[in-house]
Amino acid sequence: MQQEIVLEVKNLVKNFKGVQAVKSINLNLHKGEVLGLLGPNGSGKTTTLAMLLGILHPTSGSFSWFNNGTQDENRKRIGSLLETPNFYPYLNAYDNLKVVGIIKNVPNLQERINSVLEMVDLKERGKRPFRSYSLGMKQRLAVASALLSNPEVLVLDEPTNGLDPQGIAEMRQLIIDIAKEGKTIILASHILAEVQIICSHIVILREGEMVYNGSMERLLNQEQAFRLSAANMQQLEQALHSIPGISIAERTETDLLVTCNEKIDGSLINKRLAEQGIYLSELHAHQKNLETIFLEKLTK
């Protein structure tokens, strides 16, 4: 059964005074996916999100939410957190959310406020003024505000920015809990370990250009890798150079990390080396983490 497409992007481009900030992005976001939008500063992440949310106009290309183009009514189905939380400092969480809810015309407002505050674990501290909140609490209240109208899609730009380790862990769990409810999420973040845990799909941008678009699973498993060691590491390295389809990715004093194409597995490596009189003392599969793959994508 084919998943419903929530967002379709075709050849999206944004120029600023002759500089191409976003270069022909194409992607489909399906219902229930958690999409990680990755890239270094200046890669076009925030510009892309701003276009998709109607804050910036594309130079060329198009996008469509819910198979409904760029109609203003689409925004009612999208919640977003793009900047530092901006609430009235002297009002408490309940009253700040009441202001937001009136603006958004949220039905059953008081009930919905209670629900989202409980979801972000602020219900017990909801009567405290916003100015007394820690940065993590402020970020969670901003997520509560984005969820207030019960949107189908949640767009979060660097929701863990500036948070301490505890705050990052709390925000990670909150996003995971929201995703479990079936909401579609777009998450832009610099914290790759968090993205690897949270996201089902990944888009990597480099200088405005999309260099990867696909599932997290495919990204992490697109190359086989093994760690090898033998009594004579120099002979091992020389022998590996003679086996087609194998590349040495990393050298240490005790082992070698090799990558290989899909036709080569551990047993074949062991066999080819044994034929050359080299017997391995270590051979085990190695999976690269998202950070390693991300950095490789940026340098290729």
Side-chain angles (χ1 to χ4, degrees):
M1 183 176 176
Q2 192 171 10
Q3 286 180 288
E4 176 186 343
I5 294 178
V6 171
L7 170 65
E8 185 176 21
V9 181
K10 294 183 178 179
N11 302 314
L12 198 65
V13 173
K14 182 62 180 178
N15 297 334
F16 292 105
K17 296 181 179 179
V19 176
Q20 199 168 46
V22 174
K23 304 173 183 177
S24 194
I25 289 180
N26 294 275
L27 66 90
N28 287 336
L29 177 66
H30 296 86
K31 185 175 182 179
E33 289 181 351
V34 182
L35 174 68
L37 187 59
L38 306 182
N41 290 334
S43 63
K45 301 190 304 298
T46 298
T47 300
T48 299
L49 294 181
M51 286 190 286
L52 297 178
L53 292 172
I55 298 169
L56 292 176
H57 293 291
T59 302
S60 62
S62 65
F63 63 91
S64 175
W65 285 103
F66 315 108
N67 198 30
N68 192 38
T70 57
Q71 299 297 315
D72 288 343
E73 63 195 60
N74 294 339
R75 297 177 193 174
K76 297 177 182 178
R77 303 168 69 180
I78 304 167
S80 64
L81 169 58
L82 287 188
E83 298 176 346
T84 302
N86 188 19
F87 294 101
Y88 293 105
Y90 53 87
L91 293 182
N92 62 36
Y94 282 96
D95 291 337
N96 267 300
L97 291 181
K98 186 175 181 180
V99 172
V100 174
I102 291 172
I103 294 171
K104 292 184 176 182
N105 196 27
V106 175
N108 303 315
L109 182 55
Q110 192 57 52
E111 180 182 334
R112 187 61 189 161
I113 289 173
N114 289 332
S115 177
V116 296
L117 285 179
E118 185 169 0
M119 188 180 302
V120 302
D121 195 26
L122 285 178
K123 194 170 183 181
E124 297 301 319
R125 290 168 282 188
K127 296 297 185 180
R128 290 170 54 182
F130 178 75
R131 61 172 174 256
S132 70
Y133 281 12
S134 67
L135 182 56
M137 292 168 66
K138 291 176 178 178
Q139 289 290 91
R140 298 207 307 277
L141 183 60
V143 173
S145 177
L147 291 169
L148 194 58
S149 60
N150 197 22
E152 298 168 47
V153 177
L154 193 62
V155 179
L156 304 172
D157 188 13
E158 303 292 350
T160 59
N161 193 28
L163 299 185
D164 59 20
Q166 180 180 349
I168 291 171
E170 290 173 351
M171 183 60 69
R172 175 186 66 212
Q173 189 57 53
L174 174 58
I175 296 170
I176 290 172
D177 291 343
I178 294 169
K180 286 178 180 177
E181 293 189 350
K183 292 194 185 297
T184 306
I185 299 174
I186 302 177
L187 169 68
S189 177
H190 283 105
I191 304 180
L192 301 183
E194 301 300 314
V195 171
Q196 184 170 341
I197 295 170
I198 294 170
C199 296
S200 61
H201 291 73
I202 294 292
V203 166
I204 298 177
L205 299 179
R206 179 182 62 199
E207 297 179 349
E209 184 177 359
M210 190 164 60
V211 296
Y212 179 81
N213 174 23
S215 73
M216 176 72 78
E217 182 179 11
R218 181 166 71 87
L219 179 64
L220 294 177
N221 295 296
Q222 62 186 189
E223 279 187 336
Q224 294 189 89
F226 298 90
R227 284 205 174 273
L228 313 175
S229 63
N232 190 318
M233 293 297 293
Q234 186 174 359
Q235 287 183 354
L236 172 60
E237 184 169 348
Q238 290 173 348
L240 287 169
H241 286 306
S242 69
I243 305 175
I246 292 181
S247 300
I248 297 174
E250 179 184 299
R251 298 169 177 83
T252 72
E253 292 183 1
T254 58
D255 64 16
L256 296 173
L257 176 63
V258 301
T259 58
C260 44
N261 64 42
E262 59 186 15
K263 296 180 181 180
I264 298 177
D265 60 15
S267 61
L268 184 59
I269 294 173
N270 203 25
K271 179 181 177 182
R272 292 285 183 264
L273 291 172
E275 289 171 350
Q276 299 183 56
I278 297 173
Y279 298 95
L280 295 171
S281 57
E282 177 188 8
L283 188 160
H284 65 259
H286 172 84
Q287 186 179 60
K288 297 179 183 179
N289 61 24
L290 179 58
E291 181 177 4
T292 301
I293 297 171
F294 173 75
L295 293 174
E296 288 176 354
K297 292 287 184 185
L298 297 184
T299 54
K300 285 182 179 178

